[in-house]
Amino acid sequence: MTTAHINTATHLGDSPVVIDIQGLNKWYGQFHVLKEINLQIRQQEKVVICGPSGSGKSTLIRTINRLEEHQEGRIVVDDEPLTNDVKQIERVRREVGMVFQQFNLFPHMTILDNVISGPIHVRNMPRKQAVDLAHSYLKRVGIAEQANKYPGQLSGGQQQRVAIARALAMQPKIMLFDEPTSALDPEMIKEVLDVMRELAEQGMTMICVTHEMGFAREVADTMVFMDKGQIVEYAPVKEFFTAPKEERSRMFLEQILNH
Amino acid sequence: MSEYTPSQNIPDRQPPATSVGIIGWVCKNLLCPWYNAVLTIVSCWAIWSAVAPFWEWAVTNASISLDPEVAKQHTGAAWGFIRDMWPVFMTGVYPAEERWRPLIALCIVVVLVSLSLVASYRRSRWLKILWFVSPIVVFALVYGGGITGLPVVGTHYWGGLMLTIMLSIVAMLAAFPISVLLALGRTSDMPIAKPFCVAYIELIRGVPLITLLFMASVVLPLFLPAGMELDKVLRALVGITMFFSAYLAENIRGGLQGISKGQYEAADALGMSYWKKTIVVILPQALRIVIPPMVNNFIGILKDTSLVGIVGLVDLLQIAFATTSNPKWFGRLEEAYVFIAFWYWILCYALSSYSQYLERKMPSASK
Ligand SMILES: Nc1ncnc2c1ncn2[C@@H]1O[C@H](COP(=O)(O)OP(=O)(O)O)[C@@H](O)[C@H]1O
Ligand SMILES: [Mg+2]
């Protein structure tokens, strides 16, 4: 199960690999949290990572933009290997957008200022251009009228959509989602998933940690099932849901689907 | 078991008289229950017995004559003393014929502050430029010399309220950026900067301000190359700034620790560099949290400048001593103390009000 994976999503067969993880190991102190991870993700591929809580899903996607350091193995993102070089890390982060479970909007800035903060302070875009860009993304996620409010004045679902717009305003090549709907009330989950679905249709390369299996089945090309710091199963989405190979993934699916 | 009949169409009524209006308030807060009534009476008596003698001294029996002999015939305060000497309270031994210069400097600052309070001007670039050049203009005006063509008035002539305000403002402006750097250093994990910041803060906080002022005025010159002399006011400023930057740094560190990890991660994930992240995301939030303790510190600076008398500066407090040893108004200490206390209070209260305004204005995470 720890051998290099062959990409089985046929329509992506000849797309370039944009994330290449090989022999990744990570420890928190003595605790071996990621074990021998190998994963290749191609341009425009949608990967959904699932697995029980504490299995290392968040840690894995956070190593991709160096929010977490790894001790062993090689991670190449968009032809840029991740090392301790700060400039290199910043270059990778510019191309990789991230959406967090807790939104993490900047509470002291308006919605508009949140969305233009990346383009202005990281891409050095002129303010006017950044504002136009921000408005177009806010419109895309359906928050155009709230641009001058503060995050605290918005509902959870709206805040998460702003967070997506903020990440998109950096015009990244890859988007990472870490349980983007887990902190939301049930009636708000759909509005966020709709935005993500649309993003997927437009061809964004996406890695999502989520328990929304309906969304996964519909959007994902590839499913990754993790347990205890390892990739237990890696399969095309259809295969994963109809004929999971591993006992542990089968049990996990049963638990989560019969709920 | 009683049967419950749902009643309908109950008309609105006024609340009972004991719970609304002045009567309600007086009853609830002052008179009921009986021990509140007792407390009210005791407090009124205590306040009256403290205020009445003061009122008699300050108003009823006071004189405002400029003639000390007339004032001596009154048992109360001789406010003529303040009328006579107030320019000295304001500027110390600053030459009388040059006093218009600090006055104009004061007007400049007052006009700038007033303009800044007008919301529509606040964001204008011109106002920012004016604020930026104003310290230079004020200094040039008060000190003179150079291109101004005005006679030089050295800092040893500066005194009174003017000196107190200048020391406080410059110390605040200087201590603030230093303390931000110290706090950032202490919360970082940089190998050399962190221990340095910790050592600086802990060392300075363990020493009284008086000691630092002595050190700055006696020890500091020893480190300077021979022949180079540091201005006395500047030496006192170094001491005050060093002292308060340590305290401010601890407050700001508290604010930094109040920022959640998610804020750092969100800024990192956007690809912001350390300084962008700090300036755009972290500091604005951290500083907002620490406005109340920070203003507390600023008020502390203002009041503690009264210690500079020890190293030979004649600030507002020292002026009180100096003017009351003047034979004409000899021994009028009470009037002098009340007058300078009034000024300290005005300044501190203004600072405190401004901080409350800032807190209300700034959007917070909780709103
Ligand atoms: N900063 C940390 N220090 C120590 N242990 C951590 C830290 N972050 C996460 N862990 C541990 O690593 C494991 C994996 O965490 P995580 O990646 O968040 O799991 P998941 O997202 O799959 O629920 C968990 O057992 C968690 O307790
Ligand atoms: Mg997680």
Side-chain angles (χ1 to χ4, degrees), chain A residues 28 31 33 52-59:
Chain A
Y28 281 125
F31 177 52
V33 58
S53 163
S55 56
K57 308 180 296 293
S58 301
T59 309

Side-chain angles (χ1 to χ4, degrees), chain A residues 62 93 105-106 108 121, chain B residues 263 265 268 276 280 285:
Chain A
R62 288 155 60 88
R93 285 173 176 169
L105 292 178
F106 305 135
H108 61 299
H121 296 295
Chain B
Q263 294 291 306
E265 290 178 351
D268 282 338
K276 281 279 186 221
V280 175
Q285 297 185 64

